[in-house]
Amino acid sequence: MQTLNWRRDPDVEQKINASRLRMKQIERETEHLKNENARLAAIEFRLAHFEREHLSNSSPLSSTDDSSLL
């Protein structure tokens, strides 16, 4: 008979729903971070390519005390 009268505790139900919402939020944040990491990796790749192409072929900049160049 007790099984027929069983009801979920509203506090437990609320905690379950809060946990589900938090898990969805964590999943969204994780997906956002994955996308951001991929974006940054692409930027790093392009920067490294730029450095290889442009900086390796140029002569090093000479340092000077002439502040008129600034």
Side-chain angles (χ1 to χ4, degrees):
M1 275 301 194
Q2 281 184 337
T3 331
L4 295 175
N5 293 327
W6 180 84
R7 292 186 192 150
R8 277 193 166 173
D9 183 355
D11 290 337
V12 172
E13 186 73 25
Q14 188 176 18
K15 288 177 184 177
I16 290 171
N17 288 335
S19 294
R20 286 182 181 146
L21 288 174
R22 181 66 183 136
M23 287 300 297
K24 288 183 186 218
Q25 181 183 6
I26 290 170
E27 289 170 1
R28 284 192 302 270
E29 290 172 359
T30 301
E31 190 62 31
H32 173 74
L33 290 173
K34 285 179 184 177
N35 292 339
E36 188 67 11
N37 283 342
R39 188 181 74 82
L40 291 173
I43 290 170
E44 288 176 347
F45 177 80
R46 290 194 305 267
L47 180 59
H49 179 66
F50 175 84
E51 289 174 339
R52 278 192 310 274
E53 292 293 317
H54 298 283
L55 299 181
S56 64
N57 296 332
S58 65
S59 59
L61 297 175
S62 60
S63 63
T64 178
D65 291 330
D66 187 2
S67 60
S68 65
L69 296 175
L70 298 176

Short mmCIF file of all heavy atoms in Angstrom, two decimals:
data_model
loop_
_atom_site.label_atom_id
_atom_site.label_comp_id
_atom_site.label_asym_id
_atom_site.label_seq_id
_atom_site.Cartn_x
_atom_site.Cartn_y
_atom_site.Cartn_z
N MET A 1 0.80 -1.20 0.00
CA MET A 1 0.00 0.00 0.00
C MET A 1 0.85 1.27 0.00
O MET A 1 0.47 2.23 -0.61
CB MET A 1 -0.91 0.03 1.24
CG MET A 1 -2.19 -0.71 1.06
SD MET A 1 -3.05 0.01 -0.32
CE MET A 1 -4.59 -0.69 -0.08
N GLN A 2 1.95 1.23 0.67
CA GLN A 2 2.78 2.43 0.70
C GLN A 2 3.28 2.81 -0.69
O GLN A 2 3.40 3.98 -0.99
CB GLN A 2 3.98 2.21 1.62
CG GLN A 2 3.65 2.34 3.09
CD GLN A 2 4.91 2.21 3.93
OE1 GLN A 2 5.89 1.64 3.49
NE2 GLN A 2 4.84 2.75 5.14
N THR A 3 3.51 1.84 -1.52
CA THR A 3 4.00 2.12 -2.85
C THR A 3 2.97 2.90 -3.66
O THR A 3 3.33 3.76 -4.46
CB THR A 3 4.31 0.82 -3.60
OG1 THR A 3 4.67 -0.20 -2.68
CG2 THR A 3 5.42 1.02 -4.58
N LEU A 4 1.73 2.65 -3.48
CA LEU A 4 0.68 3.36 -4.21
C LEU A 4 0.59 4.82 -3.79
O LEU A 4 0.18 5.67 -4.58
CB LEU A 4 -0.66 2.68 -4.01
CG LEU A 4 -0.79 1.27 -4.56
CD1 LEU A 4 -2.15 0.68 -4.17
CD2 LEU A 4 -0.64 1.27 -6.07
N ASN A 5 0.93 5.13 -2.58
CA ASN A 5 0.83 6.49 -2.07
C ASN A 5 2.14 7.27 -2.19
O ASN A 5 2.22 8.40 -1.74
CB ASN A 5 0.39 6.48 -0.60
CG ASN A 5 -1.02 5.96 -0.45
OD1 ASN A 5 -1.85 6.17 -1.32
ND2 ASN A 5 -1.29 5.25 0.62
N TRP A 6 3.14 6.66 -2.81
CA TRP A 6 4.45 7.30 -2.89
C TRP A 6 4.39 8.51 -3.83
O TRP A 6 3.81 8.48 -4.90
CB TRP A 6 5.49 6.31 -3.42
CG TRP A 6 6.85 6.90 -3.53
CD1 TRP A 6 7.76 7.00 -2.55
CD2 TRP A 6 7.44 7.48 -4.70
NE1 TRP A 6 8.90 7.62 -3.02
CE2 TRP A 6 8.72 7.92 -4.35
CE3 TRP A 6 7.00 7.68 -6.01
CZ2 TRP A 6 9.57 8.55 -5.24
CZ3 TRP A 6 7.85 8.29 -6.90
CH2 TRP A 6 9.12 8.71 -6.51
N ARG A 7 4.98 9.61 -3.36
CA ARG A 7 5.09 10.83 -4.17
C ARG A 7 6.50 11.37 -4.03
O ARG A 7 7.11 11.25 -2.97
CB ARG A 7 4.10 11.89 -3.69
CG ARG A 7 2.67 11.50 -3.93
CD ARG A 7 1.75 12.63 -3.56
NE ARG A 7 0.39 12.12 -3.54
CZ ARG A 7 -0.56 12.57 -2.77
NH1 ARG A 7 -0.33 13.54 -1.92
NH2 ARG A 7 -1.76 12.05 -2.83
N ARG A 8 6.95 12.00 -5.08
CA ARG A 8 8.27 12.62 -5.01
C ARG A 8 8.23 13.82 -4.08
O ARG A 8 7.26 14.57 -4.05
CB ARG A 8 8.71 13.11 -6.39
CG ARG A 8 9.32 12.06 -7.22
CD ARG A 8 9.99 12.70 -8.40
NE ARG A 8 10.85 11.71 -9.03
CZ ARG A 8 11.48 11.90 -10.14
NH1 ARG A 8 11.38 13.04 -10.77
NH2 ARG A 8 12.23 10.96 -10.64
N ASP A 9 9.31 13.99 -3.37
CA ASP A 9 9.47 15.15 -2.51
C ASP A 9 9.72 16.37 -3.40
O ASP A 9 10.61 16.33 -4.25
CB ASP A 9 10.65 14.91 -1.57
CG ASP A 9 10.86 16.02 -0.58
OD1 ASP A 9 10.16 17.04 -0.66
OD2 ASP A 9 11.75 15.86 0.28
N PRO A 10 8.97 17.45 -3.24
CA PRO A 10 9.16 18.63 -4.10
C PRO A 10 10.59 19.19 -4.04
O PRO A 10 11.12 19.66 -5.04
CB PRO A 10 8.18 19.66 -3.56
CG PRO A 10 7.17 18.87 -2.79
CD PRO A 10 7.87 17.63 -2.32
N ASP A 11 11.23 19.12 -2.88
CA ASP A 11 12.61 19.60 -2.76
C ASP A 11 13.55 18.74 -3.60
O ASP A 11 14.46 19.26 -4.25
CB ASP A 11 13.07 19.59 -1.30
CG ASP A 11 12.36 20.66 -0.47
OD1 ASP A 11 11.87 21.65 -1.06
OD2 ASP A 11 12.30 20.49 0.76
N VAL A 12 13.33 17.46 -3.59
CA VAL A 12 14.16 16.56 -4.39
C VAL A 12 13.93 16.83 -5.88
O VAL A 12 14.89 16.89 -6.66
CB VAL A 12 13.86 15.08 -4.04
CG1 VAL A 12 14.57 14.15 -5.01
CG2 VAL A 12 14.25 14.78 -2.61
N GLU A 13 12.70 17.01 -6.25
CA GLU A 13 12.36 17.32 -7.65
C GLU A 13 13.03 18.62 -8.09
O GLU A 13 13.59 18.71 -9.19
CB GLU A 13 10.84 17.43 -7.80
CG GLU A 13 10.36 17.60 -9.23
CD GLU A 13 10.48 16.31 -10.02
OE1 GLU A 13 10.46 15.22 -9.44
OE2 GLU A 13 10.60 16.43 -11.25
N GLN A 14 13.00 19.61 -7.23
CA GLN A 14 13.62 20.89 -7.54
C GLN A 14 15.14 20.74 -7.69
O GLN A 14 15.75 21.31 -8.59
CB GLN A 14 13.30 21.91 -6.44
CG GLN A 14 13.73 23.31 -6.75
CD GLN A 14 13.30 24.28 -5.66
OE1 GLN A 14 12.98 23.88 -4.55
NE2 GLN A 14 13.29 25.55 -6.01
N LYS A 15 15.75 19.94 -6.82
CA LYS A 15 17.19 19.72 -6.90
C LYS A 15 17.56 18.96 -8.17
O LYS A 15 18.58 19.25 -8.81
CB LYS A 15 17.68 18.95 -5.67
CG LYS A 15 17.68 19.80 -4.42
CD LYS A 15 18.10 19.00 -3.22
CE LYS A 15 18.00 19.84 -1.95
NZ LYS A 15 18.34 19.08 -0.75
N ILE A 16 16.73 18.01 -8.55
CA ILE A 16 16.97 17.25 -9.80
C ILE A 16 16.91 18.20 -10.99
O ILE A 16 17.77 18.16 -11.87
CB ILE A 16 15.96 16.09 -9.93
CG1 ILE A 16 16.26 15.02 -8.89
CG2 ILE A 16 15.98 15.52 -11.35
CD1 ILE A 16 15.19 13.95 -8.80
N ASN A 17 15.89 19.05 -11.03
CA ASN A 17 15.75 20.00 -12.14
C ASN A 17 16.91 20.98 -12.17
O ASN A 17 17.44 21.29 -13.24
CB ASN A 17 14.43 20.75 -12.04
CG ASN A 17 13.24 19.86 -12.37
OD1 ASN A 17 13.37 18.88 -13.09
ND2 ASN A 17 12.09 20.20 -11.83
N ALA A 18 17.35 21.44 -11.01
CA ALA A 18 18.49 22.36 -10.94
C ALA A 18 19.75 21.66 -11.44
O ALA A 18 20.56 22.27 -12.15
CB ALA A 18 18.67 22.87 -9.52
N SER A 19 19.92 20.40 -11.09
CA SER A 19 21.08 19.64 -11.55
C SER A 19 21.06 19.46 -13.06
O SER A 19 22.09 19.58 -13.73
CB SER A 19 21.13 18.27 -10.88
OG SER A 19 21.36 18.40 -9.51
N ARG A 20 19.90 19.19 -13.60
CA ARG A 20 19.78 19.03 -15.06
C ARG A 20 20.10 20.34 -15.78
O ARG A 20 20.81 20.34 -16.79
CB ARG A 20 18.37 18.58 -15.43
CG ARG A 20 18.11 17.13 -15.09
CD ARG A 20 16.72 16.70 -15.50
NE ARG A 20 16.50 15.32 -15.14
CZ ARG A 20 15.33 14.82 -14.76
NH1 ARG A 20 14.27 15.60 -14.71
NH2 ARG A 20 15.21 13.55 -14.44
N LEU A 21 19.60 21.45 -15.24
CA LEU A 21 19.90 22.74 -15.85
C LEU A 21 21.39 23.05 -15.78
O LEU A 21 21.98 23.55 -16.74
CB LEU A 21 19.10 23.85 -15.15
CG LEU A 21 17.61 23.88 -15.42
CD1 LEU A 21 16.92 24.93 -14.55
CD2 LEU A 21 17.35 24.16 -16.89
N ARG A 22 22.01 22.75 -14.66
CA ARG A 22 23.44 22.99 -14.49
C ARG A 22 24.25 22.13 -15.47
O ARG A 22 25.22 22.61 -16.07
CB ARG A 22 23.86 22.71 -13.05
CG ARG A 22 25.31 22.96 -12.79
CD ARG A 22 25.69 24.42 -12.92
NE ARG A 22 27.11 24.58 -12.72
CZ ARG A 22 27.90 25.33 -13.48
NH1 ARG A 22 27.38 26.04 -14.45
NH2 ARG A 22 29.18 25.41 -13.24
N MET A 23 23.84 20.88 -15.64
CA MET A 23 24.53 20.00 -16.59
C MET A 23 24.43 20.55 -18.01
O MET A 23 25.41 20.53 -18.76
CB MET A 23 23.96 18.58 -16.53
CG MET A 23 24.36 17.82 -15.29
SD MET A 23 26.15 17.60 -15.12
CE MET A 23 26.51 16.64 -16.57
N LYS A 24 23.26 21.05 -18.40
CA LYS A 24 23.10 21.63 -19.73
C LYS A 24 23.97 22.87 -19.89
O LYS A 24 24.57 23.09 -20.94
CB LYS A 24 21.63 21.96 -20.00
CG LYS A 24 20.79 20.73 -20.23
CD LYS A 24 19.37 21.08 -20.57
CE LYS A 24 18.58 19.79 -20.64
NZ LYS A 24 17.60 19.79 -21.69
N GLN A 25 24.03 23.67 -18.83
CA GLN A 25 24.88 24.86 -18.86
C GLN A 25 26.35 24.47 -19.01
O GLN A 25 27.08 25.06 -19.81
CB GLN A 25 24.68 25.68 -17.59
CG GLN A 25 25.50 26.95 -17.56
CD GLN A 25 25.33 27.71 -16.25
OE1 GLN A 25 24.69 27.24 -15.32
NE2 GLN A 25 25.91 28.89 -16.19
N ILE A 26 26.78 23.46 -18.28
CA ILE A 26 28.17 22.98 -18.38
C ILE A 26 28.45 22.46 -19.78
O ILE A 26 29.51 22.71 -20.35
CB ILE A 26 28.45 21.91 -17.30
CG1 ILE A 26 28.48 22.56 -15.92
CG2 ILE A 26 29.76 21.18 -17.59
CD1 ILE A 26 28.50 21.57 -14.78
N GLU A 27 27.49 21.74 -20.36
CA GLU A 27 27.67 21.23 -21.72
C GLU A 27 27.81 22.38 -22.72
O GLU A 27 28.65 22.33 -23.62
CB GLU A 27 26.49 20.34 -22.11
CG GLU A 27 26.47 19.01 -21.38
CD GLU A 27 25.18 18.24 -21.59
OE1 GLU A 27 24.28 18.71 -22.31
OE2 GLU A 27 25.07 17.14 -21.01
N ARG A 28 26.98 23.42 -22.57
CA ARG A 28 27.09 24.59 -23.46
C ARG A 28 28.43 25.28 -23.29
O ARG A 28 29.07 25.67 -24.28
CB ARG A 28 25.95 25.58 -23.19
CG ARG A 28 24.60 25.15 -23.75
CD ARG A 28 23.59 26.28 -23.71
NE ARG A 28 23.37 26.80 -22.37
CZ ARG A 28 22.45 26.36 -21.52
NH1 ARG A 28 21.66 25.38 -21.87
NH2 ARG A 28 22.32 26.89 -20.33
N GLU A 29 28.86 25.46 -22.04
CA GLU A 29 30.15 26.10 -21.78
C GLU A 29 31.30 25.28 -22.35
O GLU A 29 32.25 25.83 -22.91
CB GLU A 29 30.34 26.33 -20.28
CG GLU A 29 29.42 27.38 -19.71
CD GLU A 29 29.47 27.47 -18.19
OE1 GLU A 29 30.23 26.71 -17.56
OE2 GLU A 29 28.75 28.31 -17.63
N THR A 30 31.21 23.96 -22.21
CA THR A 30 32.24 23.08 -22.74
C THR A 30 32.31 23.20 -24.26
O THR A 30 33.40 23.29 -24.84
CB THR A 30 31.97 21.62 -22.33
OG1 THR A 30 31.95 21.55 -20.90
CG2 THR A 30 33.02 20.67 -22.88
N GLU A 31 31.17 23.21 -24.90
CA GLU A 31 31.12 23.35 -26.36
C GLU A 31 31.69 24.70 -26.78
O GLU A 31 32.45 24.80 -27.75
CB GLU A 31 29.68 23.20 -26.86
CG GLU A 31 29.56 23.08 -28.35
CD GLU A 31 30.26 21.85 -28.92
OE1 GLU A 31 30.34 20.81 -28.24
OE2 GLU A 31 30.75 21.94 -30.07
N HIS A 32 31.35 25.75 -26.04
CA HIS A 32 31.89 27.08 -26.34
C HIS A 32 33.41 27.09 -26.21
O HIS A 32 34.12 27.64 -27.06
CB HIS A 32 31.27 28.12 -25.40
CG HIS A 32 31.88 29.48 -25.53
ND1 HIS A 32 31.65 30.31 -26.59
CD2 HIS A 32 32.74 30.13 -24.71
CE1 HIS A 32 32.35 31.42 -26.44
NE2 HIS A 32 33.01 31.33 -25.29
N LEU A 33 33.93 26.46 -25.17
CA LEU A 33 35.38 26.41 -24.96
C LEU A 33 36.07 25.61 -26.05
O LEU A 33 37.16 25.97 -26.51
CB LEU A 33 35.71 25.85 -23.58
CG LEU A 33 35.35 26.77 -22.41
CD1 LEU A 33 35.58 26.03 -21.09
CD2 LEU A 33 36.16 28.04 -22.44
N LYS A 34 35.45 24.53 -26.50
CA LYS A 34 36.02 23.75 -27.60
C LYS A 34 36.11 24.61 -28.86
O LYS A 34 37.13 24.60 -29.56
CB LYS A 34 35.18 22.51 -27.88
CG LYS A 34 35.34 21.41 -26.87
CD LYS A 34 34.45 20.23 -27.23
CE LYS A 34 34.51 19.15 -26.18
NZ LYS A 34 33.59 18.03 -26.51
N ASN A 35 35.03 25.35 -29.14
CA ASN A 35 35.03 26.23 -30.32
C ASN A 35 36.08 27.32 -30.18
O ASN A 35 36.77 27.65 -31.15
CB ASN A 35 33.65 26.85 -30.52
CG ASN A 35 32.61 25.83 -30.92
OD1 ASN A 35 32.94 24.76 -31.42
ND2 ASN A 35 31.35 26.13 -30.67
N GLU A 36 36.19 27.90 -28.99
CA GLU A 36 37.17 28.95 -28.76
C GLU A 36 38.59 28.40 -28.90
O GLU A 36 39.46 29.06 -29.48
CB GLU A 36 36.96 29.55 -27.37
CG GLU A 36 37.78 30.77 -27.08
CD GLU A 36 37.42 31.99 -27.91
OE1 GLU A 36 36.38 31.99 -28.60
OE2 GLU A 36 38.19 32.95 -27.89
N ASN A 37 38.84 27.20 -28.40
CA ASN A 37 40.16 26.58 -28.55
C ASN A 37 40.50 26.34 -30.01
O ASN A 37 41.64 26.57 -30.44
CB ASN A 37 40.24 25.27 -27.77
CG ASN A 37 40.40 25.49 -26.28
OD1 ASN A 37 40.78 26.56 -25.85
ND2 ASN A 37 40.11 24.46 -25.51
N ALA A 38 39.53 25.90 -30.78
CA ALA A 38 39.75 25.67 -32.21
C ALA A 38 40.05 26.99 -32.92
O ALA A 38 40.94 27.07 -33.77
CB ALA A 38 38.54 24.99 -32.84
N ARG A 39 39.33 28.03 -32.55
CA ARG A 39 39.55 29.35 -33.14
C ARG A 39 40.96 29.86 -32.82
O ARG A 39 41.68 30.35 -33.69
CB ARG A 39 38.49 30.34 -32.62
CG ARG A 39 38.50 31.70 -33.31
CD ARG A 39 37.44 32.61 -32.73
NE ARG A 39 37.81 33.09 -31.42
CZ ARG A 39 38.62 34.14 -31.20
NH1 ARG A 39 39.15 34.78 -32.20
NH2 ARG A 39 38.90 34.52 -29.97
N LEU A 40 41.36 29.72 -31.56
CA LEU A 40 42.69 30.16 -31.15
C LEU A 40 43.79 29.34 -31.82
O LEU A 40 44.83 29.88 -32.20
CB LEU A 40 42.83 30.10 -29.63
CG LEU A 40 41.99 31.13 -28.86
CD1 LEU A 40 42.09 30.86 -27.37
CD2 LEU A 40 42.41 32.54 -29.20
N ALA A 41 43.56 28.04 -31.98
CA ALA A 41 44.54 27.20 -32.67
C ALA A 41 44.71 27.65 -34.11
O ALA A 41 45.83 27.68 -34.63
CB ALA A 41 44.11 25.74 -32.60
N ALA A 42 43.62 28.03 -34.76
CA ALA A 42 43.70 28.51 -36.14
C ALA A 42 44.48 29.82 -36.20
O ALA A 42 45.30 30.03 -37.11
CB ALA A 42 42.30 28.69 -36.72
N ILE A 43 44.25 30.69 -35.24
CA ILE A 43 44.98 31.96 -35.19
C ILE A 43 46.47 31.70 -34.96
O ILE A 43 47.32 32.30 -35.62
CB ILE A 43 44.40 32.87 -34.09
CG1 ILE A 43 43.01 33.36 -34.49
CG2 ILE A 43 45.33 34.06 -33.81
CD1 ILE A 43 42.26 34.08 -33.39
N GLU A 44 46.79 30.81 -34.05
CA GLU A 44 48.19 30.47 -33.79
C GLU A 44 48.86 29.89 -35.03
O GLU A 44 50.01 30.20 -35.32
CB GLU A 44 48.30 29.49 -32.63
CG GLU A 44 48.01 30.11 -31.28
CD GLU A 44 48.03 29.09 -30.15
OE1 GLU A 44 48.04 27.88 -30.43
OE2 GLU A 44 48.04 29.53 -29.00
N PHE A 45 48.13 29.06 -35.76
CA PHE A 45 48.66 28.47 -36.99
C PHE A 45 48.97 29.56 -38.01
O PHE A 45 50.04 29.58 -38.62
CB PHE A 45 47.66 27.46 -37.57
CG PHE A 45 48.10 26.87 -38.87
CD1 PHE A 45 49.02 25.84 -38.90
CD2 PHE A 45 47.59 27.35 -40.07
CE1 PHE A 45 49.44 25.29 -40.12
CE2 PHE A 45 48.00 26.82 -41.28
CZ PHE A 45 48.92 25.78 -41.30
N ARG A 46 48.02 30.49 -38.19
CA ARG A 46 48.24 31.58 -39.15
C ARG A 46 49.40 32.47 -38.72
O ARG A 46 50.19 32.92 -39.55
CB ARG A 46 46.95 32.40 -39.32
CG ARG A 46 45.86 31.64 -40.06
CD ARG A 46 44.73 32.54 -40.53
NE ARG A 46 44.12 33.33 -39.50
CZ ARG A 46 43.04 32.99 -38.80
NH1 ARG A 46 42.45 31.83 -39.03
NH2 ARG A 46 42.55 33.79 -37.90
N LEU A 47 49.50 32.74 -37.43
CA LEU A 47 50.60 33.56 -36.92
C LEU A 47 51.94 32.88 -37.15
O LEU A 47 52.90 33.52 -37.59
CB LEU A 47 50.39 33.86 -35.43
CG LEU A 47 51.47 34.70 -34.76
CD1 LEU A 47 51.58 36.06 -35.43
CD2 LEU A 47 51.16 34.85 -33.28
N ALA A 48 52.01 31.59 -36.87
CA ALA A 48 53.26 30.86 -37.09
C ALA A 48 53.62 30.87 -38.57
O ALA A 48 54.80 31.04 -38.93
CB ALA A 48 53.12 29.43 -36.58
N HIS A 49 52.62 30.71 -39.44
CA HIS A 49 52.87 30.74 -40.88
C HIS A 49 53.38 32.13 -41.29
O HIS A 49 54.34 32.25 -42.06
CB HIS A 49 51.58 30.40 -41.63
CG HIS A 49 51.72 30.44 -43.11
ND1 HIS A 49 52.51 29.57 -43.80
CD2 HIS A 49 51.16 31.26 -44.04
CE1 HIS A 49 52.44 29.84 -45.09
NE2 HIS A 49 51.63 30.88 -45.26
N PHE A 50 52.77 33.17 -40.77
CA PHE A 50 53.19 34.53 -41.06
C PHE A 50 54.64 34.75 -40.61
O PHE A 50 55.45 35.31 -41.35
CB PHE A 50 52.26 35.53 -40.36
CG PHE A 50 52.70 36.96 -40.50
CD1 PHE A 50 52.35 37.68 -41.63
CD2 PHE A 50 53.45 37.57 -39.52
CE1 PHE A 50 52.76 39.00 -41.78
CE2 PHE A 50 53.87 38.88 -39.66
CZ PHE A 50 53.52 39.60 -40.79
N GLU A 51 54.94 34.29 -39.40
CA GLU A 51 56.30 34.45 -38.88
C GLU A 51 57.32 33.71 -39.76
O GLU A 51 58.39 34.24 -40.05
CB GLU A 51 56.38 33.96 -37.44
CG GLU A 51 55.67 34.86 -36.46
CD GLU A 51 55.64 34.30 -35.05
OE1 GLU A 51 55.80 33.07 -34.88
OE2 GLU A 51 55.43 35.09 -34.12
N ARG A 52 56.98 32.50 -40.17
CA ARG A 52 57.90 31.74 -41.03
C ARG A 52 58.12 32.46 -42.36
O ARG A 52 59.24 32.55 -42.85
CB ARG A 52 57.35 30.34 -41.29
CG ARG A 52 57.61 29.35 -40.20
CD ARG A 52 57.30 27.93 -40.63
NE ARG A 52 56.00 27.74 -41.26
CZ ARG A 52 54.87 27.51 -40.60
NH1 ARG A 52 54.87 27.45 -39.29
NH2 ARG A 52 53.74 27.34 -41.24
N GLU A 53 57.04 32.96 -42.94
CA GLU A 53 57.13 33.59 -44.25
C GLU A 53 57.80 34.96 -44.21
O GLU A 53 58.57 35.29 -45.10
CB GLU A 53 55.72 33.74 -44.86
CG GLU A 53 55.07 32.44 -45.22
CD GLU A 53 55.79 31.75 -46.37
OE1 GLU A 53 56.15 32.45 -47.34
OE2 GLU A 53 55.99 30.53 -46.29
N HIS A 54 57.49 35.76 -43.22
CA HIS A 54 57.92 37.15 -43.23
C HIS A 54 59.10 37.47 -42.33
O HIS A 54 59.94 38.28 -42.68
CB HIS A 54 56.74 38.06 -42.88
CG HIS A 54 55.63 37.95 -43.86
ND1 HIS A 54 55.66 38.56 -45.10
CD2 HIS A 54 54.45 37.27 -43.82
CE1 HIS A 54 54.56 38.27 -45.77
NE2 HIS A 54 53.80 37.49 -45.02
N LEU A 55 59.15 36.85 -41.19
CA LEU A 55 60.21 37.20 -40.25
C LEU A 55 61.50 36.45 -40.52
O LEU A 55 62.58 36.96 -40.26
CB LEU A 55 59.75 36.98 -38.81
CG LEU A 55 58.53 37.81 -38.39
CD1 LEU A 55 58.17 37.52 -36.94
CD2 LEU A 55 58.77 39.30 -38.59
N SER A 56 61.42 35.26 -41.05
CA SER A 56 62.65 34.49 -41.30
C SER A 56 63.42 35.05 -42.49
O SER A 56 64.64 34.90 -42.57
CB SER A 56 62.32 33.02 -41.54
OG SER A 56 61.54 32.89 -42.70
N ASN A 57 62.75 35.74 -43.40
CA ASN A 57 63.40 36.29 -44.60
C ASN A 57 63.91 37.70 -44.37
O ASN A 57 64.62 38.22 -45.20
CB ASN A 57 62.43 36.30 -45.77
CG ASN A 57 62.03 34.90 -46.17
OD1 ASN A 57 62.79 33.95 -45.96
ND2 ASN A 57 60.85 34.75 -46.74
N SER A 58 63.53 38.33 -43.29
CA SER A 58 63.94 39.71 -43.07
C SER A 58 65.18 39.77 -42.19
O SER A 58 65.47 38.86 -41.42
CB SER A 58 62.80 40.49 -42.42
OG SER A 58 62.56 39.99 -41.13
N SER A 59 65.90 40.86 -42.34
CA SER A 59 67.08 41.04 -41.50
C SER A 59 66.62 41.54 -40.13
O SER A 59 65.61 42.25 -40.03
CB SER A 59 68.04 42.04 -42.14
OG SER A 59 67.39 43.28 -42.32
N PRO A 60 67.36 41.21 -39.09
CA PRO A 60 66.94 41.64 -37.76
C PRO A 60 66.97 43.16 -37.66
O PRO A 60 67.78 43.82 -38.28
CB PRO A 60 67.98 41.02 -36.83
CG PRO A 60 68.91 40.26 -37.68
CD PRO A 60 68.53 40.43 -39.11
N LEU A 61 66.06 43.70 -36.90
CA LEU A 61 66.00 45.13 -36.70
C LEU A 61 67.18 45.56 -35.84
O LEU A 61 67.49 44.92 -34.85
CB LEU A 61 64.68 45.53 -36.02
CG LEU A 61 63.41 45.24 -36.81
CD1 LEU A 61 62.21 45.57 -35.95
CD2 LEU A 61 63.38 46.05 -38.09
N SER A 62 67.80 46.64 -36.25
CA SER A 62 68.91 47.13 -35.43
C SER A 62 68.36 48.05 -34.35
O SER A 62 67.45 48.83 -34.60
CB SER A 62 69.91 47.88 -36.31
OG SER A 62 69.28 48.98 -36.92
N SER A 63 68.93 47.96 -33.19
CA SER A 63 68.49 48.81 -32.10
C SER A 63 69.25 50.13 -32.19
O SER A 63 70.40 50.18 -32.60
CB SER A 63 68.71 48.14 -30.76
OG SER A 63 70.10 47.93 -30.59
N THR A 64 68.57 51.19 -31.82
CA THR A 64 69.19 52.51 -31.88
C THR A 64 68.72 53.33 -30.70
O THR A 64 67.65 53.10 -30.15
CB THR A 64 68.85 53.22 -33.21
OG1 THR A 64 69.44 54.51 -33.19
CG2 THR A 64 67.37 53.38 -33.39
N ASP A 65 69.51 54.30 -30.34
CA ASP A 65 69.14 55.19 -29.26
C ASP A 65 68.44 56.43 -29.80
O ASP A 65 68.09 57.33 -29.05
CB ASP A 65 70.37 55.61 -28.45
CG ASP A 65 70.95 54.45 -27.67
OD1 ASP A 65 70.20 53.56 -27.29
OD2 ASP A 65 72.17 54.47 -27.45
N ASP A 66 68.24 56.48 -31.10
CA ASP A 66 67.61 57.65 -31.72
C ASP A 66 66.11 57.62 -31.46
O ASP A 66 65.39 56.83 -32.02
CB ASP A 66 67.90 57.65 -33.22
CG ASP A 66 67.42 58.92 -33.89
OD1 ASP A 66 66.90 59.81 -33.19
OD2 ASP A 66 67.59 59.02 -35.12
N SER A 67 65.65 58.49 -30.59
CA SER A 67 64.23 58.50 -30.23
C SER A 67 63.40 59.20 -31.30
O SER A 67 62.18 59.20 -31.24
CB SER A 67 64.02 59.17 -28.88
OG SER A 67 64.49 60.51 -28.94
N SER A 68 64.01 59.79 -32.31
CA SER A 68 63.26 60.46 -33.36
C SER A 68 62.53 59.45 -34.25
O SER A 68 61.63 59.82 -34.99
CB SER A 68 64.17 61.35 -34.21
OG SER A 68 65.12 60.53 -34.88
N LEU A 69 62.93 58.19 -34.17
CA LEU A 69 62.27 57.16 -34.96
C LEU A 69 60.94 56.76 -34.38
O LEU A 69 60.15 56.12 -35.03
CB LEU A 69 63.18 55.93 -35.10
CG LEU A 69 64.49 56.14 -35.85
CD1 LEU A 69 65.31 54.88 -35.79
CD2 LEU A 69 64.22 56.56 -37.29
N LEU A 70 60.67 57.13 -33.13
CA LEU A 70 59.43 56.73 -32.47
C LEU A 70 58.28 57.58 -32.85
O LEU A 70 58.11 58.54 -33.27
CB LEU A 70 59.60 56.75 -30.96
CG LEU A 70 60.64 55.78 -30.41
CD1 LEU A 70 60.78 55.97 -28.91
CD2 LEU A 70 60.25 54.36 -30.72
#
